[in-house]
């Protein structure tokens, strides 16, 4: 994810086994706890910066990288000025939880700050005036969204152009005659495109151009102002670039330009003769277009594909169509190698070739992996199983719906997962041999996020996370009428509920001890009610990220911590007993892996002897030749 | 907006606790803002959302409004505690909400002005 300096490796100091965690917590005053949490937050922010900060890169029309701009930062939108001499850029500030607008001079690298937003508020969506002297942008001030404008050289003060009574406005373009702005408003209920006349004074009123039940974004004027390009996201989460007329006298249209877009706006060349967008495989596409007397276009062709096995996404096209902005991944192009480790952290098997893998997990019998695999050609992610002995891969899903958290049933016959459909997240299941069709397993409150984390050993309950609440769902009966039981709902964020093999205890992660830092806790589980019994035990002391797992005999719990200074992932183990009551020993480090790396719940084989991760590897050796 | 939507869609990469629990736009109309001036009567400080109940005088009668806020952890991270709200029960405060689409007396908190004048913004999560 990044290049650059790495923080020094620090030694993890575990709290003495003789000092119970709860007692240690009691020793700390509220002030000391707050200070400790603030220090941890600072470390997390530093790590996030290290993992994600990048510079801006330029590519020319042939796909050759021609230069970079700016110091390493967490850049958002990057927009070239009309003459190409400057870049308006949104930069995130993690400590302040804000994002601000800057202008970078391409020749000198000089940086001019245009906004300074308060904590938790931000600037976004900059657009240049056609003469390059001003920049309009969106900010939220005290909960109020508005379009503001300011001189691009930072002089003078900002001016409010339009106060949005609603939300989710994204500014996209400034017409070449300087008279109009375009913006889109989209949410999960649909979208609308607007034009804002700038001559209306304080009472400026936007004009709705198009409204749809589908989400839309990125409206941009053709240079002659007679047409608008924009992007529509359909119910299957596929994005396409369209053009429509703004002139009632022009018949025909809208025209679909793309055959698969990677959520990319269309960019017009200044002379109105070319239109660019990014295809699903991240190629930069070009269509030769004409806007006189009406709109016409040629079938898009590949202008270039950034030369990498994992091409970075083109973020912006210059008005002359000669330069393209890219935010390259900080660590260079990366693929993932599915890698199996033993308890000492030694590699025992590499599974298949590197690819775009995430969230691998062992089948209950340890013979297969379940993994989410991305396809660079289609930008689609699907579930696959891979036989560890033969490498044979079986595709389980084939659709563009976002899906996460694959989870094996205890008998290995099914896989459960969360997926976004029709603007709602629900839990589905399908057979793990690839046959049959998908079934709904559980749908929660409309609009609520719900993620599966376990199936009870007797197969009667599905355990889920939802917004810091742990739910258990009886799996009997009609899936459409299944009703959840709140296992744990409190003022702390609880999740990753994992039942012990005997079904008597639930291990879970909670931020009770410190905000933003989870620890492992265990509570009894009453299978007759789906509710917790009496008692609670804190198992970990130094933070838990993910990968909570019981060994099949119930005598060991595994979890994954993180060294916030070295970025290392810490694979941890603690011996436990569940006979009569629960007790836990002292967590110990099994091995470390360099981060960042994805994790899941079932990275560990049930016998506790093998661990699988999607390890980042450089994709440089797979670089396409051009 | 697309940036915020893409963030929401990429729910695979964020901690569960960081997720907005609901698709807020399905339940609340962000174009229908209401400013409530009243007395805080009740605080429900649990996940996935906090709830503040506020008594508002309207046309000589008292209306009870329920305002849904971010999770307790969201406030904890920003050094705003349960006690800040519990200590305000019985006192006057101002809450700006996006009103529920079913037009019930409920809304999604955008900003809160506590009795001492401290303004707590629930943005960008709820804006």
């Amino acid at each position: 994810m990044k290049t650059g300096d790495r923080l020094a490796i620090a030694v993890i100091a575990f709290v003495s086994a003789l000092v119970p965690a709860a007692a240690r917590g009691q020793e700390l005053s509220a002030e000391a706890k707050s200070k400790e949490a603030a220090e941890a937050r600072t470390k997390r922010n530093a790590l996030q910066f290290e993992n994600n900060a990048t510079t801006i890169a330029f590519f020319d029309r042939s796909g050759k990288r021609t230069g970079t701009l700016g110091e390493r930062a967490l850049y958002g939108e990057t927009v070239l000025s009309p003459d190409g001499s400057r870049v308006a850029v949104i930069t995130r500030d993690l400590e302040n939880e804000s994002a601000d607008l800057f202008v970078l001079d391409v020749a000198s690298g000089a940086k001019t700050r245009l906004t300074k937003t308060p904590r938790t508020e931000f600037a976004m969506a900059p657009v240049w005036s056609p003469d390059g002297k001003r920049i309009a942008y969106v900010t939220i001030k005290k909960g109020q969204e508005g379009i503001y404008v300011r001189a691009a050289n930072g002089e003078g003060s900002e001016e409010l152009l339009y106060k949005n009574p609603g939300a989710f406005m994204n500014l996209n373009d400034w017409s070449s005659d300087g008279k109009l702005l375009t913006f889109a408003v989209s949410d999960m209920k649909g979208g609308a495109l607007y034009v804002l006349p700038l001559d209306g004074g304080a009472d400026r009123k936007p004009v709705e151009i198009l409204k749809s039940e589908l989400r839309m974004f990125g409206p941009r004027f053709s240079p002659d102002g007679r047409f608008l390009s924009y992007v529509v996201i359909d119910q299957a989460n596929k994005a396409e670039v369209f053009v429509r007329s703004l002139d009632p006298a022009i018949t025909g249209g809208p025209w679909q330009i793309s055959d698969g877009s990677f959520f990319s706006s269309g960019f017009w060349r200044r002379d109105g003769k070319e239109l660019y967008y990014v295809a699903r495989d991240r190629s930069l596409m070009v269509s030769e277009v004409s806007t006189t007397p009406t709109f016409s276009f040629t079938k898009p062709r590949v202008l270039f594909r950034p030369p990498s096995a994992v091409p970075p996404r083109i973020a912006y096209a210059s008005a002359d169509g000669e330069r393209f902005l890219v935010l390259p991944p900080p660590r260079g192009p990366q693929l993932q190698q599915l890698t199996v480790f033993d308890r000492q952290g030694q590699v025992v098997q590499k599974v298949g070739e590197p690819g775009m893998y995430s969230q691998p997990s062992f089948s209950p019998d340890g013979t297969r992996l379940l993994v989410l695999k991305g396809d660079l050609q289609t930008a689609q992610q699907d579930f696959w199983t891979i036989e560890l002995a033969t490498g044979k891969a079986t595709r389980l899903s084939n659709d563009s719906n976002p899906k996460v958290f694959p989870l094996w049933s205890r008998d290995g016959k099914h896989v459960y997962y969360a997926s976004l459909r029709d603007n709602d997240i629900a839990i589905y299941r399908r057979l793990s041999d690839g046959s049959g069709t998908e079934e709904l397993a559980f749908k929660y409150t409309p609009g609520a996020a719900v993620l599966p984390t376990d199936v009870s050993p007797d197969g009667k309950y599905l355990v889920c996370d939802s917004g810091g609440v742990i739910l258990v769902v009886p799996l009997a009966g009609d899936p459409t009428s299944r009703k959840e039981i709140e296992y744990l709902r409190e003022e702390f964020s609880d999740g990753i509920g994992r039942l012990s093999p005997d079904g008597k205890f639930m291990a879970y992660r909670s931020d009770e001890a410190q905000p933003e830092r989870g620890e492992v806790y265990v509570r009894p589980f009453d299978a007759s009610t789906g509710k917790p019994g009496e008692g609670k035990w804190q198992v970990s002391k130094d933070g838990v990220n993910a990968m909570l797992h019981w060994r099949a005999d119930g005598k060991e719990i595994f979890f994954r911590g993180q060294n916030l200074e070295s970025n290392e992932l810490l694979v941890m183990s603690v011996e436990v007993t569940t006979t009569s009551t629960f007790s836990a020993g002292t967590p110990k480090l099994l091995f470390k892996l360099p981060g960042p790396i994805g994790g899941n719940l079932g990275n560990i084989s049930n016998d506790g002897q093998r661990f699988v991760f999607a390890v980042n590897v450089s994709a440089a050796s797979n670089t396409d030749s051009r | 907006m697309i940036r915020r939507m893409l963030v929401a869609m990429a729910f695979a990469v964020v901690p569960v606790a960081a997720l907005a629990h609901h698709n807020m736009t399905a339940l609340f109309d962000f174009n229908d803002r209401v400013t409530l001036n009243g007395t805080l009567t009740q605080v429900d400080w649990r996940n996935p959302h906090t709830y503040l109940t506020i008594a508002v005088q309207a046309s000589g009668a008292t209306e009870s409004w329920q305002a849904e806020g971010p999770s307790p952890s969201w406030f904890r991270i920003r050094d705003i505690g349960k006690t800040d709200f519990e200590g305000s029960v019985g006192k006057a405060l101002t809450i700006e909400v996006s009103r529920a689409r079913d037009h019930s007396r409920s809304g999604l908190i955008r900003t809160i002005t506590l009795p001492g004048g401290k303004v707590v913004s629930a943005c960008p999560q709820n804006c």
Side-chain angles (χ1 to χ4, degrees):
Chain A
M1 292 285 290
K2 77 168 189 69
T3 56
D5 298 337
R6 297 287 302 274
L7 295 170
I9 296 175
V11 177
I12 296 295
F14 289 105
V15 177
S16 166
L18 299 177
V19 182
R24 177 173 168 263
Q26 285 163 5
E27 288 170 5
L28 292 175
S29 65
E31 185 181 356
K33 278 187 175 179
S34 178
K35 184 181 176 189
E36 187 180 72
E39 288 173 353
R41 187 178 306 134
T42 298
K43 289 178 182 176
R44 266 191 293 273
N45 287 340
L47 205 54
Q48 189 174 346
F49 184 91
E50 283 300 303
N51 288 338
N52 296 291
T54 187
T55 55
I56 301 165
F58 289 95
F59 282 70
D60 68 14
R61 216 177 144 82
S62 69
K64 182 182 174 187
R65 187 165 163 156
T66 57
T68 60
L69 176 65
E71 58 191 10
R72 290 182 64 237
L74 298 174
Y75 293 117
E77 294 121 310
T78 51
V79 183
L80 265 167
S81 62
D83 65 1
S85 67
R86 290 154 296 161
V87 176
V89 61
I90 299 296
T91 305
R92 288 176 61 201
D93 180 336
L94 295 174
E95 280 293 312
N96 199 47
E97 295 184 83
S98 59
D100 279 296
L101 172 61
F102 295 83
V103 172
L104 303 179
D105 184 87
V106 173
S108 68
K111 183 167 74 173
T112 303
R113 183 172 197 143
L114 265 66
T115 66
K116 188 169 178 58
T117 56
R119 191 176 183 195
T120 76
E121 300 193 333
F122 55 88
M124 58 181 285
V127 297
W128 289 86
S129 64
D131 62 5
K133 292 182 178 176
R134 296 188 296 165
I135 299 177
Y137 50 93
V138 174
T139 68
I140 293 179
K141 295 174 184 285
K142 295 182 179 177
Q144 179 76 55
E145 204 170 72
I147 299 175
Y148 293 79
V149 66
R150 188 167 184 194
N153 62 9
E155 293 178 355
S157 57
E158 67 180 8
E159 174 193 350
L160 175 66
L161 293 178
Y162 172 65
K163 188 183 283 189
N164 182 22
F168 306 134
M169 176 174 59
N170 208 36
L171 193 59
N172 293 103
D173 201 11
W174 198 324
S175 63
S176 56
D177 62 6
K179 294 180 177 177
L180 304 168
L181 295 175
T182 60
F183 66 87
V185 174
S186 274
D187 60 29
M188 302 308 262
K189 304 285 282 184
L193 308 179
Y194 296 90
V195 166
L196 180 69
L198 291 176
D199 57 2
D203 295 324
R204 295 181 182 98
K205 293 279 189 295
V207 177
E208 184 181 290
I209 300 297
L210 180 64
K211 190 175 179 67
S212 170
E213 292 180 352
L214 300 175
R215 291 165 282 154
M216 298 186 290
F217 71 95
R220 299 180 66 84
F221 291 109
S222 61
D224 62 9
R226 300 169 69 221
F227 296 89
L228 201 65
S229 64
Y230 58 101
V231 181
V232 178
I233 303 173
D234 69 15
Q235 297 289 9
N237 204 44
K238 291 184 175 176
E240 300 293 358
V241 178
F242 287 81
V243 169
R244 68 188 301 119
S245 168
L246 293 172
D247 183 350
I250 298 174
T251 58
W255 299 268
Q256 180 176 332
I257 309 301
S258 63
D259 181 16
S261 151
F262 193 58
F263 298 97
S264 160
S265 295
F267 299 97
W268 299 83
R269 197 168 72 181
R270 182 186 291 129
D271 62 7
K273 294 183 177 177
E274 285 188 343
L275 185 65
Y276 314 98
Y277 68 93
V278 180
R280 287 197 193 109
D281 70 352
R282 308 188 198 189
S283 295
L284 181 68
M285 307 297 290
V286 59
S287 172
E288 289 161 20
V289 298
S290 171
T291 58
T292 52
T294 184
F295 181 76
S296 62
F297 68 105
T298 62
K299 182 180 179 182
R301 61 181 171 82
V302 176
L303 188 58
F304 69 87
R305 187 170 187 259
S308 166
V310 190
R313 184 172 179 269
I314 305 293
Y316 201 83
S318 66
D320 60 6
E322 296 296 330
R323 284 190 298 169
F324 302 89
L325 290 183
V326 172
L327 292 173
R331 295 174 195 273
Q334 303 260 296
L335 291 171
Q336 289 76 44
Q337 172 70 61
L338 293 171
T339 308
V340 179
F341 299 84
D342 64 15
R343 286 177 70 96
Q344 288 72 47
Q346 299 300 310
V347 174
V348 295
Q349 186 179 358
K350 291 185 177 178
V351 183
E353 297 296 315
M356 295 184 70
Y357 292 109
S358 63
Q359 304 181 20
S361 61
F362 285 103
S363 60
D365 64 6
T367 63
R368 291 180 290 168
L369 294 179
L370 172 62
V371 68
L372 197 53
K373 181 182 180 185
D375 184 326
L376 265 172
Q377 297 302 310
T378 63
Q380 184 171 307
Q381 282 197 316
D382 283 298
F383 295 120
W384 292 71
T385 59
I386 303 172
E387 291 181 12
L388 284 162
T390 64
K392 181 188 174 188
T394 301
R395 185 180 201 136
L396 302 190
S397 66
N398 188 1
D399 61 74
S400 58
N401 298 303
K403 37 197 169 307
V404 290
F405 266 55
L407 175 74
W408 291 93
S409 62
R410 294 270 178 159
D411 61 8
K413 290 182 180 175
H414 290 91
V415 296
Y416 290 83
Y417 51 93
S419 185
L420 182 68
R421 310 285 169 85
D422 297 330
N423 300 334
D424 276 329
I425 299 168
I427 296 174
Y428 300 86
R429 77 168 191 176
R430 60 169 66 236
L431 290 165
S432 66
D433 64 4
S435 66
T437 56
E438 177 184 83
E439 303 170 352
L440 177 70
F442 175 56
K443 195 164 191 175
Y444 191 32
T445 306
V450 61
L451 306 170
T453 63
D454 203 6
V455 179
S456 62
D458 59 9
K460 291 182 178 175
Y461 292 109
L462 180 67
V463 184
C464 307
D465 281 359
S466 185
V469 177
I470 296 176
L471 307 172
V472 295
V473 182
L475 286 172
D478 176 10
T480 59
S481 59
R482 284 173 183 157
K483 184 71 180 166
E484 75 286 352
I485 298 167
E486 288 183 359
Y487 173 79
L488 195 59
R489 177 196 284 270
E490 52 186 2
E491 67 178 278
F492 309 111
S493 287
D494 306 317
I496 320 182
R498 302 281 287 173
L499 287 162
S500 59
D502 61 10
K504 293 179 179 175
F505 294 90
M506 180 91 79
Y508 64 97
R509 177 185 185 272
S510 174
D511 70 352
E512 178 176 345
Q514 185 185 104
E516 301 178 279
R517 189 184 77 181
E519 300 291 359
V520 176
Y521 295 81
V522 170
R523 289 179 187 250
F525 177 75
D526 183 344
S528 66
T529 63
K531 293 282 190 178
E534 291 296 316
K536 179 177 72 173
W537 298 267
Q538 182 174 341
V539 174
S540 67
K541 307 180 191 71
D542 296 296
V544 172
N545 282 3
M547 209 181 79
L548 194 48
H549 195 85
W550 294 79
R551 200 169 72 192
D553 62 6
K555 294 181 177 177
E556 193 173 19
I557 290 177
F558 303 94
F559 58 91
R560 204 191 75 200
Q562 184 179 25
N563 185 327
L564 292 176
E565 291 169 340
S566 69
N567 208 8
E568 289 172 316
L569 305 180
L570 312 174
V571 177
M572 308 291 295
S573 152
V574 57
E575 292 180 1
V576 299
T577 60
T578 60
T579 50
S580 68
T581 187
F582 178 84
S583 66
T586 304
K588 62 185 177 188
L589 176 68
L590 290 182
F591 61 91
K592 303 174 185 176
L593 288 174
I597 197 170
N600 199 12
L601 308 171
N603 297 48
I604 305 150
S605 60
N606 271 345
D607 60 6
Q609 299 302 310
R610 291 177 298 160
F611 303 77
V612 62
F613 291 94
V615 176
N616 286 332
V617 293
S618 171
S621 59
N622 296 311
T623 297
D624 298 343
S625 57
R626 284 187 50 84
Chain B
M1 172 57 203
I2 191 63
R3 185 174 62 126
R4 280 175 276 184
M5 285 172 48
L6 288 173
V7 168
M9 287 192 290
F11 58 101
V13 298
V14 298
V16 173
L19 285 169
H21 180 248
H22 291 112
N23 171 5
M24 296 301 185
T25 57
L27 301 176
F28 301 99
D29 185 351
F30 283 64
N31 291 303
D32 187 0
R33 293 177 170 212
V34 179
T35 300
L36 305 170
N37 293 296
T39 304
L40 183 64
T41 59
Q42 191 175 333
V43 177
D44 185 357
W45 205 253
R46 295 188 302 166
N47 273 310
H49 306 289
T50 53
Y51 289 93
L52 305 179
T53 306
I54 181 170
V56 178
Q57 294 297 318
S59 304
T62 302
E63 294 179 346
S64 181
W65 283 75
Q66 190 171 58
E68 178 177 319
S71 69
S73 295
W74 190 92
F75 287 104
R76 278 174 85 202
I77 291 165
R78 289 154 184 84
D79 298 323
I80 301 163
K82 183 180 180 181
T83 53
D84 289 314
F85 289 93
E86 288 184 333
S88 300
V89 171
K91 297 177 182 174
L93 78 173
T94 301
I95 305 178
E96 186 187 19
V97 299
S98 299
R99 190 164 187 181
R101 289 188 185 276
D102 64 5
H103 295 290
S104 60
R105 287 175 187 157
S106 61
L108 182 70
I109 295 172
R110 300 176 71 102
T111 62
I112 307 166
T113 306
L114 291 169
K118 183 176 183 178
V119 177
V120 180
S121 169
C123 297
Q125 181 158 323
N126 287 359
C127 295

